[in-house]
Amino acid sequence: MVQRNDRASWITGGRVRCSDPPRTAPPKPFRFVLLGAPGVGKGTQADLIGDHFRVCHLSTGDVFRAAKQLSADGNASPNLVKALEYMRKGELVPDEIVLELIRERSRCMTCCGGFILDGFPRTVAQAEALSELLKEKGVSLTAVLNYQLPEERLVARLSGRRVCPDCRAVFHISGHPPRKEGVCDHCGGSLYQREDDSPESIRVRMQQYEANTGPLIRYYSHRGQLITIEAEGSPEEIFQRTRDALRQYLPANQ
Ligand code: AMP
């Protein structure tokens, strides 16, 4: 498994600095947004893209999941405690809470290594706020990647998903099972099912996605930034499609 940056600036926010910031910056850092319904495999693609193009995978879901521990220790802000309630039910966290969290992490937007945003923006209001923030910082998005898969395939992927809490590896009980049931192949962590991968939460998340993402896709499509990618097949096949779709942005050797 690839050794990843600790993303401390992103996960913790505020003044916290990453332990291993990028030392050499490409002349034009990649700044991607990833869109796609829950279960489409965005997180896996974000990691593959991140490893290949050396950009940091910034997931808002990861920030909220990390906040769970803070909350258990009684150290989470009232806003984070509120956000976790929405998350538990599979509902979207209100825009103002998400945007505050993003503003606290705005340093990541100008990181010379670039970024892949996964799970943000999720609404047009969030996309407009991101656009303002990037304009303020004098940077722009490279492209918005939109992964697509039929709904019944999404539900099957989500309900069988198992995640390692330690190294974040993702398995599937039938599609990509671990060698030993319930144990991470990479680090031996105890695999778990995300709370929001329960059948009830999955249903709510799908409805919310449908309601919010249609307008978001139109928003980026009108701006000529949207690239749509079929998410059928293995992670490697989907990644190959992603690289093909991004060819116009890449130097010849990538
Ligand atoms: P994810 O890992 O991206 O599926 O996010 C998990 C959960 O975190 C979502 O179901 C939401 O409850 C919450 N969440 C993450 N990102 C956002 C966002 N940009 N806007 C609203 N809620 C979010």
Side-chain angles (χ1 to χ4, degrees):
M1 166 147 281
V2 176
Q3 187 62 41
R4 297 204 166 93
N5 177 319
D6 64 6
R7 302 174 304 149
S9 288
W10 177 255
I11 296 293
T12 315
R15 292 171 182 278
V16 177
R17 301 223 170 222
C18 294
S19 63
D20 187 19
R23 289 193 187 89
T24 50
K28 215 169 167 229
F30 294 119
R31 296 196 168 96
F32 299 120
V33 164
L34 262 55
L35 300 182
V40 81
K42 271 193 324 290
T44 305
Q45 290 306 309
D47 281 340
L48 290 171
I49 297 169
D51 294 342
H52 188 81
F53 299 115
R54 302 188 182 198
V55 286
C56 225
H57 174 187
L58 306 181
S59 148
T60 36
D62 280 352
V63 174
F64 290 131
R65 280 183 283 280
K68 258 195 204 167
Q69 190 52 50
L70 283 179
S71 172
D73 299 342
N75 292 329
S77 67
N79 266 350
L80 269 181
V81 173
K82 228 192 287 169
L84 294 177
E85 269 311 300
Y86 287 97
M87 189 178 171
R88 211 161 285 134
K89 290 185 273 182
E91 291 174 14
L92 286 191
V93 176
D95 285 341
E96 62 273 22
I97 299 182
V98 178
L99 293 174
E100 187 187 321
L101 179 139
I102 296 290
R103 279 191 285 271
E104 281 170 11
R105 288 159 178 76
S106 61
R107 176 193 316 196
C108 296
M109 304 292 138
T110 49
C111 174
C112 65
F115 60 71
I116 310 172
L117 277 172
D118 164 16
F120 175 85
R122 261 186 163 88
T123 64
V124 170
Q126 291 182 13
E128 284 170 342
L130 173 65
S131 166
E132 276 303 303
L133 180 68
L134 294 180
K135 204 156 104 195
E136 215 173 89
K137 303 279 176 194
V139 297
S140 56
L141 290 179
T142 308
V144 177
L145 305 176
N146 175 32
Y147 290 94
Q148 277 190 336
L149 198 64
E151 181 165 334
E152 66 276 11
R153 301 270 302 109
L154 294 169
V155 173
R157 277 196 191 175
L158 285 174
S159 49
R161 177 159 74 177
R162 298 292 181 272
V163 186
C164 175
D166 301 326
C167 73
R168 296 170 52 242
V170 180
F171 297 86
H172 189 278
I173 50 173
S174 58
H176 173 40
R179 284 192 293 273
K180 184 168 174 215
E181 195 183 325
V183 179
C184 177
D185 287 354
H186 306 292
C187 72
S190 299
L191 302 181
Y192 75 106
Q193 181 171 36
R194 278 171 42 171
E195 216 167 8
D196 56 353
D197 282 346
S198 68
E200 178 55 21
S201 288
I202 291 175
R203 205 175 47 75
V204 175
R205 288 163 74 199
M206 290 295 171
Q207 284 166 354
Q208 301 238 339
Y209 185 77
E210 284 304 316
N212 290 295
T213 309
L216 194 54
I217 287 174
R218 283 194 291 282
Y219 175 90
Y220 283 122
S221 175
H222 282 149
R223 281 160 184 74
Q225 290 176 299
L226 196 73
I227 297 178
T228 296
I229 298 169
E230 285 306 317
E232 198 61 72
S234 68
E236 292 73 24
E237 286 165 340
I238 303 167
F239 180 54
Q240 184 56 49
R241 247 171 257 143
T242 304
R243 281 175 65 184
D244 291 345
L246 288 175
R247 210 161 288 288
Q248 57 180 309
Y249 301 100
L250 307 180
N253 59 351
Q254 287 192 315

